[in-house]
Amino acid sequence: MDVREMKHGEKVSLLGFGCMRFPLNMDGSICECEAEAMLDKAIAHGVNYIDTAYPYHNGDSEPFVGRVLKKYDRSSFYLATKLPMFKIETLDDAKRIFEEQLQRLDVDNVDFYLLHAMNKDTWEKAKALGVLEYLDDLKETGKIRNLGFSFHDEYEVFKEMIDARDWDFCQIQYNYIDRNVQAGDQGYALCAKKQIPMVIMEPVKGGNLAVLPEDIAEILKKKRPNDSISSWALRWVASHSNVRVILSGMSTMQQVEDNLHTFDQLEQLNEEEEQLIEKVANMILERTKNGCTACKYCMPCPFGIDIPGNFKIWNEYAKYSNKDATKKKLDAMAREARFDQCKKCGRCEGLCPQHIAIRDDLEQMKKDLAFFK
Ligand SMILES: NC(=O)c1ccc[n+]([C@@H]2O[C@H](COP(=O)([O-])OP(=O)(O)OC[C@H]3O[C@@H](n4cnc5c(N)ncnc54)[C@H](OP(=O)(O)O)[C@@H]3O)[C@@H](O)[C@H]2O)c1
């Protein structure tokens, strides 16, 4: 297992375990037996960075992870969890949740503590409520060892946050498709320049880069017939030296084994492989249906259609041809928010900065996703 260093000399495994995607029972609860075996396997093969969060698995991830880790020496692993700013309205909420997290995890301290899924609004809220001062106090007393944040907003907000403080680390979504999304390449370069170690989430784009259309997958398979498609995405992220941990949210033992294999024998991408990935990324991006950037200028739709949400699903279907994933996402959307409910009033079109013909595109979605009833 490749090992890299965090700000205060912590030697962390390059592959980290993301505890957001454990296998589930029929009732949606964590399939604890299998998930524990997966964690044990990863730890036995050198994974020492475990990332969970307050809301994962409806609050069950932290206590489960705490129970599993109890059998290991506390100094043998690094535990990361997050303060859900989106659930916090007062400073007392933050204090209560942190204390609850220590209890759930059954630990005295947290090695890597993050403000969770930060954006412009939650950043303003954290500053206004005095949450940052509270977290500084926790650091002072040793209850948290490193303070960082995970991020989901535009680069400008990311830069503002990075420039505001001397962070110990930060966590962004980064993969070979999302180089210009959220913090992206610019965010990576900024942190590299400022020597802020980075933890990466969604390296396989939540599974989207594990299954590619056949013609695209073929290009990668031809080059490395024995390697999984996911391994290319993981190796691409690993080729960035300021990335210190790559979190993979593994949901099966097979994925754990495959990813351990990738990191046990990690080979840097050579120049030819980098070019191949660029070609593959372009092929995927070319299959994007429209240029919706989810700026939400078109919202709210007077009839309740989730315009950016629908276009995201449509674009992803066009890229990855994954019918099951597409059906799952549409099923999770409220009926009235779906593309087939558009009343064609056209209010949205004058507001779209990308000048998207929204009504025509929603109509086209009906044809492309005819398999969805
Ligand atoms: N702080 C935040 O705001 C935030 C947000 C997102 C994630 N995170 C953290 O970051 C972690 C990583 O993000 P992520 O879970 O989106 O990571 P990811 O690795 O991009 O996606 C995980 C999914 O990729 C697929 N996968 C992974 N390895 C595979 C393999 N070898 N073969 C085939 N498929 C494979 C699986 O999809 P299937 O399950 O569909 O098979 C798995 O559930 C999360 O688990 C969580 O801990 C944090």
Side-chain angles (χ1 to χ4, degrees):
M1 173 65 57
D2 214 354
V3 166
R4 294 190 183 177
E5 210 167 292
M6 296 299 270
K7 193 165 176 180
H8 305 296
E10 298 92 345
K11 304 260 188 300
V12 288
S13 54
L14 183 54
L15 175 63
F17 208 116
C19 299
M20 189 178 81
R21 299 189 192 265
F22 285 137
L24 302 177
N25 294 313
M26 292 295 274
D27 65 1
S29 60
I30 299 171
C31 182
E32 295 200 354
C33 214
E34 196 184 341
E36 179 164 359
M38 287 161 57
L39 271 165
D40 286 342
K41 178 115 196 183
I43 291 169
H45 285 79
V47 170
N48 70 0
Y49 190 102
I50 319 290
D51 173 273
T52 181
Y54 188 77
Y56 290 175
H57 294 289
N58 297 316
D60 289 342
S61 178
E62 284 183 333
F64 168 69
V65 167
R67 283 197 298 280
V68 172
L69 293 180
K70 211 62 200 165
K71 60 180 180 251
Y72 296 98
D73 189 293
R74 179 67 187 89
S75 62
S76 67
F77 59 86
Y78 294 108
L79 186 55
T81 194
K82 318 186 185 87
L83 183 67
M85 275 313 301
F86 43 87
K87 284 184 181 287
I88 283 169
E89 296 309 329
T90 66
L91 184 55
D92 279 347
D93 287 344
K95 292 180 179 176
R96 176 181 48 77
I97 287 179
F98 179 71
E99 291 304 325
E100 197 187 334
Q101 288 180 298
L102 291 184
Q103 278 182 10
R104 282 176 168 197
L105 290 159
D106 201 4
V107 291
D108 298 325
N109 56 63
V110 175
D111 304 293
F112 292 89
Y113 199 58
L114 303 92
L115 293 159
H116 193 176
M118 293 303 281
N119 59 33
K120 180 81 183 152
D121 292 345
T122 47
W123 173 233
E124 293 306 329
K125 187 163 47 164
K127 285 189 289 183
L129 295 179
V131 169
L132 295 160
E133 288 75 9
Y134 167 60
L135 296 178
D136 284 340
D137 288 348
L138 289 181
K139 230 184 115 175
E140 194 78 9
T141 58
K143 286 202 168 182
I144 63 177
R145 299 270 160 80
N146 290 271
L147 177 59
F149 65 94
S150 68
F151 184 79
H152 289 291
D153 204 338
E154 297 305 315
Y155 171 73
E156 286 66 34
V157 182
F158 183 73
K159 182 167 177 1
E160 187 187 324
M161 287 189 70
I162 286 293
D163 287 342
R165 294 174 63 88
D166 185 17
W167 298 100
D168 296 312
F169 70 114
C170 72
Q171 182 166 314
I172 66 166
Q173 167 178 337
Y174 199 38
N175 56 62
Y176 67 75
I177 292 295
D178 286 333
R179 298 181 62 177
N180 296 312
V181 171
Q182 300 180 15
D185 282 350
Q186 278 182 291
Y188 174 80
L190 180 69
C191 288
K193 189 169 151 219
K194 293 196 150 211
Q195 298 187 322
I196 299 172
M198 301 184 91
V199 173
I200 299 304
M201 55 191 172
E202 301 173 57
V204 185
K205 202 167 166 58
N208 278 305
L209 301 179
V211 185
L212 297 178
E214 253 175 53
D215 58 323
I216 301 181
E218 189 53 34
I219 296 171
L220 301 178
K221 278 282 167 205
K222 210 167 141 196
K223 180 73 190 155
R224 291 174 81 96
N226 297 324
D227 288 2
S228 67
I229 299 299
S230 313
S231 71
W232 284 86
L234 295 168
R235 288 175 62 231
W236 182 86
V237 180
S239 68
H240 295 74
S241 61
N242 195 47
V243 169
R244 308 301 162 84
V245 179
I246 302 174
L247 295 172
S248 180
M250 297 164 274
S251 63
T252 65
M253 183 60 98
Q254 207 181 350
Q255 290 173 7
V256 173
E257 286 168 355
D258 182 40
N259 294 349
L260 285 171
H261 175 75
T262 299
F263 283 88
D264 277 346
Q265 318 189 353
L266 188 69
E267 281 178 55
Q268 294 298 320
L269 291 177
N270 59 37
E271 219 176 297
E272 190 195 343
E273 289 177 327
E274 274 177 22
Q275 283 164 6
L276 269 190
I277 289 211
E278 206 176 315
K279 178 175 165 186
V280 162
N282 286 333
M283 286 173 81
I284 294 170
L285 288 169
E286 269 167 20
R287 295 179 194 191
T288 305
K289 285 286 182 176
N290 73 20
C292 174
T293 60
C295 69
K296 298 188 181 153
Y297 281 32
C298 57
M299 298 291 281
C301 160
F303 296 97
I305 308 288
D306 176 359
I307 299 165
N310 278 291
F311 286 155
K312 183 165 188 275
I313 291 171
W314 189 38
N315 278 325
E316 296 203 333
Y317 175 66
K319 279 184 242 166
Y320 306 111
S321 313
N322 190 336
K323 282 188 183 167
D324 287 344
T326 306
K327 276 186 190 154
K328 234 196 246 174
K329 286 175 200 155
L330 287 169
D331 277 334
M333 192 179 261
R335 174 95 186 90
E336 62 277 13
R338 282 199 316 243
F339 59 97
D340 51 356
Q341 300 301 306
C342 175
K343 304 287 182 285
K344 302 197 188 317
C345 71
R347 178 193 166 274
C348 48
E349 289 184 5
L351 300 170
C352 175
Q354 315 294 328
H355 308 298
I356 293 170
I358 294 174
R359 288 172 292 183
D360 287 354
D361 280 6
L362 290 173
E363 194 58 36
Q364 185 61 41
M365 254 187 105
K366 279 192 203 166
K367 292 178 192 148
D368 291 356
L369 306 187
F371 59 85
F372 180 76
K373 293 286 173 241

